Amino acid sequence: MHFSLSTLLKLWNKWFTRSDEQTRLNETLEQLIPLIDPLLLHTSGYPTLYRGAIQQASQYVDQLTTQTPGPIQLVAKNFTSDPLIRALFPSPQLLEENLRLSIAMREYQPVQPGKQQLFAVMGVRWSRNLRYGIERSGEIIQSSVPQQTIDFKDHTFTLPASTEVEARQLLRDHFLSRLGNRVKEQIQSLKEQRDQLYLLGKRKENALRKSDQPAQPEKVEEIDRLWDSWRALNRQLDTDHAIDHFNSVMYSPSDHLQLEPYQLSIDPMGVERPPDEGGSTLNLMELHGGDQRIWTIMLVQFPWQRPPSTDDQIQQAYRWL
């Protein structure tokens, strides 16, 4: 059998591409699997049986990373011109204060001296609140009018980076590690169920042994069913069955981590109003995960500045006393 040169080149390129993809998947697994259980690195099916699921999950988190909006330029001069920044922070001073004291600012190590831009992922939570304010209706001004306001809180800045590309890569890795944590949580939940069954079985056996009543077949059967369930959980927790828990999450990542777009329309005072009544439309992206809390996330960019020392923070606190 003879192959033309072009056919051989195509076969070589196909093999090389597949080999390169397997290498990338293996590297991802080597980072993720120890977070779940380091023993899985030594199971018979690793890494071959894990590649399909991690490939599916990787493609999904790539989509989430691309969908994350930003970077938003968080600088005080944009406070009045950008409705989103004005909605997120009560004032330019509090914007700068949040940045100055943020985790990202403290953790970031500048790659070079001098002024530079810092990228990070910002997460906030928002809520609707009923307040009473002033409304104008034609020439009439009414007071104590019920208004629904939007309040943003719990601002967090994490995953600092020197470029947008690096920040998105860190975010992608974070999404993937959250899926890995979900696998770990499922396994831990099964372990807790197994341990509870073991204690319950032992307790019922002891109670039956100490009982002065004649043999009770129904209680013996109940105990046997408990131990059957305990053995079934033990089999599920065998390291050779860990692939099942891994696949259940990684083949269905959207069941455990989602980004959903959401729109709000608020005026400069934070009151929820439609656009035709003076509201500005805010296009947000909400992250839904396993912790049952919803976070609005976005990529942000702001000037790096050296965070205050502990002494500086204490002195500033005294000035407010």
Side-chain angles (χ1 to χ4, degrees):
M1 182 180 295
H2 299 283
F3 295 99
S4 66
L5 180 59
S6 60
T7 302
L8 289 173
L9 287 174
K10 288 180 181 178
L11 290 172
W12 168 257
N13 288 333
K14 184 177 181 180
W15 177 87
F16 185 80
T17 301
R18 183 182 302 171
S19 177
D20 193 44
E21 176 66 15
Q22 286 187 359
T23 300
R24 286 196 295 270
L25 294 176
N26 288 348
E27 290 174 350
T28 302
L29 287 169
E30 287 172 5
Q31 295 176 359
L32 185 63
I33 292 299
L35 301 177
I36 301 171
D37 186 348
L39 292 177
L40 299 182
L41 295 171
H42 308 290
T43 55
S44 57
Y46 179 85
T48 306
L49 296 182
Y50 289 78
R51 287 197 194 111
I54 198 63
Q55 184 176 39
Q56 179 100 354
S58 295
Q59 292 171 352
Y60 180 72
V61 299
D62 284 343
Q63 295 174 10
L64 295 186
T65 305
T66 302
Q67 292 170 9
T68 302
I72 309 300
Q73 301 283 336
L74 287 187
V75 289
K77 67 178 183 180
N78 290 346
F79 183 83
T80 55
S81 60
D82 191 326
L84 176 59
I85 297 178
R86 191 169 60 244
L88 290 170
F89 300 93
S91 69
Q93 292 75 24
L94 284 175
L95 161 62
E96 293 186 332
E97 184 77 0
N98 271 274
L99 295 176
R100 189 169 61 88
L101 300 177
S102 68
I103 295 174
M105 198 76 84
R106 293 200 304 270
E107 291 184 347
Y108 182 68
Q109 298 296 325
V111 294
Q112 58 187 10
K115 294 183 179 180
Q116 53 193 290
Q117 292 293 303
L118 175 62
F119 293 81
V121 175
M122 183 178 77
V124 295
R125 301 174 67 194
W126 62 270
S127 60
R128 288 186 170 92
N129 297 285
L130 179 62
R131 296 178 182 172
Y132 294 88
I134 297 174
E135 295 277 357
R136 176 186 290 273
S137 179
E139 298 298 322
I140 301 176
I141 296 178
Q142 299 175 308
S143 61
S144 301
V145 177
Q147 299 172 332
Q148 190 160 254
T149 61
I150 302 295
D151 291 337
F152 289 88
K153 59 184 180 180
D154 299 336
H155 299 69
T156 62
F157 300 85
T158 58
L159 308 178
S162 58
T163 66
E164 179 183 351
V165 172
E166 182 187 354
R168 290 193 182 275
Q169 180 62 43
L170 291 174
L171 179 59
R172 178 192 182 278
D173 294 343
H174 172 73
F175 285 148
L176 205 55
S177 67
R178 288 189 63 160
L179 292 176
N181 284 335
R182 187 67 183 132
V183 179
K184 184 176 182 179
E185 289 168 1
Q186 288 189 2
I187 295 174
Q188 183 60 35
S189 176
L190 290 176
K191 288 181 178 179
E192 292 173 359
Q193 294 176 45
R194 179 197 60 186
D195 294 344
Q196 289 171 3
L197 283 176
Y198 179 83
L199 294 174
L200 182 59
K202 285 296 184 181
R203 188 160 57 244
K204 287 185 176 293
E205 281 183 341
N206 290 334
L208 185 62
R209 191 181 305 114
K210 295 177 181 178
S211 176
D212 296 331
Q213 299 178 1
Q216 303 174 57
E218 68 280 1
K219 290 191 175 182
V220 173
E221 291 178 2
E222 180 188 2
I223 293 173
D224 287 342
R225 287 194 297 271
L226 277 174
W227 288 122
D228 286 342
S229 299
W230 178 80
R231 283 187 285 270
L233 284 175
N234 254 345
R235 287 191 293 271
Q236 290 185 53
L237 288 168
D238 187 273
T239 52
D240 288 334
H241 288 86
I243 184 66
D244 299 330
H245 310 300
F246 188 81
N247 286 347
S248 70
V249 173
M250 298 300 173
Y251 272 124
S252 303
S254 60
D255 292 343
H256 309 279
L257 197 62
Q258 314 94 31
L259 278 180
E260 295 182 1
Y262 196 88
Q263 274 193 347
L264 290 173
S265 182
I266 61 178
D267 70 8
M269 300 302 295
V271 178
E272 194 167 16
R273 299 185 191 278
D276 58 358
E277 295 181 13
S280 297
T281 301
L282 307 181
N283 294 303
L284 307 176
M285 193 66 74
E286 297 189 330
L287 176 65
H288 298 251
D291 59 2
Q292 305 303 316
R293 293 182 297 175
I294 300 174
W295 288 91
T296 297
I297 66 167
M298 63 195 74
L299 202 65
V300 296
Q301 178 183 358
F302 49 91
W304 179 82
Q305 53 182 305
R306 189 170 301 280
S309 65
T310 303
D311 290 341
D312 291 339
Q313 293 185 52
I314 292 175
Q315 290 178 10
Q316 183 173 4
Y318 275 124
R319 286 197 292 269
W320 285 98
L321 295 177

